[in-house]
Amino acid sequence: MVDIDIPQKYAVAPTGEGTPHLTIHPEATIDLDSTNAFEGPEKLLEVWFTPSPNDLPASALPGGLKNVSAETWKEMLDLVNCKVLSVVSSDHLDAYLLSESSMFVFPHKLILKTCGTTTLLSGLPKMLEIAAHCAGFPYIGWARVNGLLAAATPYRVFYSRKNFLYPDKQRGPHRSWRDEVRFLDGMFIGGSAYMVGKMNGEHWYLYITGPDTRLTPPSSPEWGSHVKVRDDVRLSESPVDAISSHMDSMQMQTVEDETLEVLMTDLDPENAKQFYLDHASAVAADKLSQLRSPAHQVANMDETEVDVFGNVSAEGDDFTPSSDASLSVDEYTTEGHALGTIVSESCGLSEVYPTSRYPDARIDAYLFTPCGFSANGVIPAPEQDGRFNSTHYFTVHVTPESQCSYASFETNVPCRQTGRETAEIVEQVVNIFRPGRFSVTLFEAKSSSIGDVGIATDGGYIAAKRTGRMDCIKGYRRIERIVHDLNGYDLVFRYYHREDWKGGAAPRLGELSM
């Protein structure tokens, strides 16, 4: 278990060995307001410094990036223009719920997902500095040119997003895909940029570097110069030689990686209203009334089951069925974690990865004023030999306003771990929102892929069955299926319309060209 110093004003949910625990930051929730139309589609950045947490270099501090303090990450997030609402910590990852989406910190990689007009890529140089200065990853010392102490060299970098609904409102390097590619090319040598889907319809962008990622040197002669960082993590050899040696040692590594994204627009109004504060407050009031009824109390005198979320209220009280009846009515009429938990339960999100299979799973959820919802799930893999060997995540973000309705679901929980097909997870998620349209991206490292892309493999029959199942999402018609065979990864993009959707044939477009 990771030990974290928690200021007294923060609260920690009770936990067992290997169980994630939650810390909330109430000061970050002040003045949050989602009244205006909002850009729901997120920017998603993954920066890997090694193929796995077992491959940390000798120079890295124990725990790698998880050794970095929350306060240090907040400095980077200030550049991105978002705040930390709460943190769920576990042995293998820290899940940050943000004012605009989420961040996940593993020992060897960082995942940052932000929506609205956040400037995500503006935080990338600071990430590389933090990885070098605070986590001890091999670095290049030329970054003083950009005002940084050092820049760790990543193993791989992935950046992706759906086409924006309101691209003219974006800031910094995010005003167009061309600008984003130019920014990333200015940082990395040999990156590849793709657009997946119709140029004049719904589409998805991807920028990816190879496993031999190199930083783009500045025009200054300081390339390769050494900049002193922390004495306890300083390398014994030259930075360039250390990076080269470390990268060479990783070339033969296999990566177990699988990411599923479901990006939904035109949500059904009846389903979308679940994510409005007024509706959630009514649901909460009804639940509170039932919990306080004498009949319920008698029927549940011996009930010992703990709430799936292990959540805490906005005041820091433990949030469980045995205690939520004692919370004030204000808890259920104002935005925050208490209402977020209610919505997670009532909409069905808690059943995507149920505690019957994942007893140590935790969900950290937040409902905004007057509407909007965000949640992070931390899912420890089932115990093996009495220990948790890995922990995965999922994240959900909802913008329910009719003029810009959008919801996203993302997870890296492997299908083989759930015992269910990808199509079952997709159907369960889609049923929560009933979008008029949605896209699915399944991004798998070749070592973990079972052949969904239709390439001949030993599991060809399984692959064909899986592909066919994804083409038959109940209540929807698949419009497109696009396959990319990338460097070390298989990517499948699918796009669907609801069978009874009346929104018209022409997609609502954000970007008509690069």
Side-chain angles (χ1 to χ4, degrees), residues 100-111:
E100 284 85 9
S101 300
S102 303
M103 180 173 74
F104 299 93
V105 180
F106 296 78
H108 66 300
K109 67 179 179 180
L110 180 142
I111 301 171

Side-chain angles (χ1 to χ4, degrees), residues 16-77:
E17 182 65 28
T19 303
H21 62 268
L22 172 69
T23 305
I24 63 173
H25 296 231
E27 76 283 356
T29 67
I30 298 173
D31 296 328
L32 284 179
D33 190 349
S34 60
T35 303
N36 298 319
F38 195 71
E39 180 70 72
E42 302 97 343
K43 314 163 184 86
L44 175 60
L45 175 68
E46 290 196 28
V47 183
W48 293 54
F49 292 94
T50 64
S52 80
N54 298 321
D55 300 313
L56 298 183
S59 61
L61 294 180
L65 295 174
K66 274 178 57 61
N67 182 74
V68 178
S69 70
E71 291 303 317
T72 299
W73 290 126
K74 287 178 186 178
E75 294 177 9
M76 182 273 294
L77 292 171

Side-chain angles (χ1 to χ4, degrees), residues 60-351:
L61 294 180
L65 295 174
K66 274 178 57 61
N67 182 74
V68 178
S69 70
E71 291 303 317
T72 299
W73 290 126
K74 287 178 186 178
E75 294 177 9
M76 182 273 294
L77 292 171
D78 284 342
L79 301 174
V80 177
N81 294 298
C82 57
K83 302 294 182 183
V84 176
L85 301 181
S86 50
V87 186
V88 174
S89 297
S90 72
D91 290 341
H92 303 101
L93 75 89
D94 296 331
Y96 288 72
L97 193 65
L98 307 178
S99 55
E100 284 85 9
S101 300
S102 303
M103 180 173 74
F104 299 93
V105 180
F106 296 78
H108 66 300
K109 67 179 179 180
L110 180 142
I111 301 171
L112 180 58
K113 186 171 193 170
T114 66
C115 54
T117 57
T118 51
T119 52
L120 184 152
L121 290 178
S122 296
L124 179 54
K126 187 68 173 179
M127 293 179 198
L128 303 184
E129 179 194 48
I130 289 172
H133 182 59
C134 302
F137 285 94
Y139 65 93
I140 289 293
W142 52 260
R144 176 66 75 178
V145 174
N146 298 321
L148 304 176
L149 289 175
T153 298
Y155 168 67
R156 299 199 75 160
V157 176
F158 307 85
Y159 175 72
S160 64
R161 66 170 174 85
K162 180 186 178 297
N163 55 296
F164 291 132
L165 300 177
Y166 309 106
D168 55 308
K169 296 183 179 180
Q170 292 298 315
R171 299 179 292 173
H174 299 288
R175 291 185 175 90
S176 72
W177 178 240
R178 185 183 300 276
D179 288 346
E180 290 169 316
V181 171
R182 185 181 296 114
F183 180 93
L184 290 163
D185 280 345
M187 294 199 65
F188 307 112
I189 297 174
S192 301
Y194 302 87
M195 189 192 79
V196 185
K198 296 179 180 178
M199 181 176 292
N200 62 342
E202 295 287 343
H203 49 270
W204 186 75
Y205 296 109
L206 171 68
Y207 184 97
I208 182 173
T209 69
D212 56 348
T213 301
R214 293 289 189 269
L215 296 174
T216 301
S219 56
S220 165
E222 295 181 39
W223 170 255
S225 63
H226 183 78
V227 173
K228 180 179 180 180
V229 292
R230 295 168 50 134
D231 290 337
D232 56 343
V233 300
R234 186 172 178 177
L235 304 176
S236 59
E237 53 188 317
S238 73
V240 175
D241 290 343
I243 291 169
S244 178
S245 174
H246 181 55
M247 290 299 174
D248 289 344
S249 70
M250 293 192 294
Q251 295 307 305
M252 301 303 294
Q253 299 289 340
T254 59
V255 178
E256 294 293 328
D257 185 32
E258 177 182 330
T259 302
L260 170 70
E261 266 195 299
V262 185
L263 308 179
M264 299 162 276
T265 58
D266 303 287
L267 311 184
D268 184 276
E270 284 299 307
N271 294 61
K273 72 181 184 182
Q274 300 177 93
F275 305 97
Y276 278 79
L277 189 140
D278 289 347
H279 184 274
S281 294
V283 172
D286 182 63
K287 177 182 177 181
L288 189 61
S289 176
Q290 293 178 28
L291 289 172
R292 288 176 172 171
S293 68
H296 181 276
Q297 293 178 16
V298 170
N300 293 276
M301 285 181 63
D302 297 326
E303 184 177 294
T304 58
E305 182 181 358
V306 177
D307 185 11
V308 54
F309 303 106
N311 214 336
V312 293
S313 73
E315 300 300 324
D317 296 320
D318 297 338
F319 190 83
T320 67
S322 61
S323 64
D324 57 7
S326 64
L327 297 178
S328 69
V329 175
D330 288 343
E331 297 272 6
Y332 295 102
T333 57
T334 57
E335 71 168 67
H337 291 86
L339 274 182
T341 298
I342 292 292
V343 172
S344 297
E345 294 175 324
S346 63
C347 76
L349 180 60
S350 63
E351 295 304 313

Side-chain angles (χ1 to χ4, degrees), residues 451 453-460:
V453 297
I455 299 172
T457 65
D458 292 339

Side-chain angles (χ1 to χ4, degrees), residues 480-499:
E480 291 181 297
R481 177 177 178 267
I482 300 172
V483 176
H484 278 274
D485 183 1
L486 302 172
N487 186 356
Y489 280 84
D490 292 328
L491 167 66
V492 183
F493 171 90
R494 293 180 175 90
Y495 177 56
Y496 303 80
H497 280 186
R498 198 174 69 225
E499 290 176 351

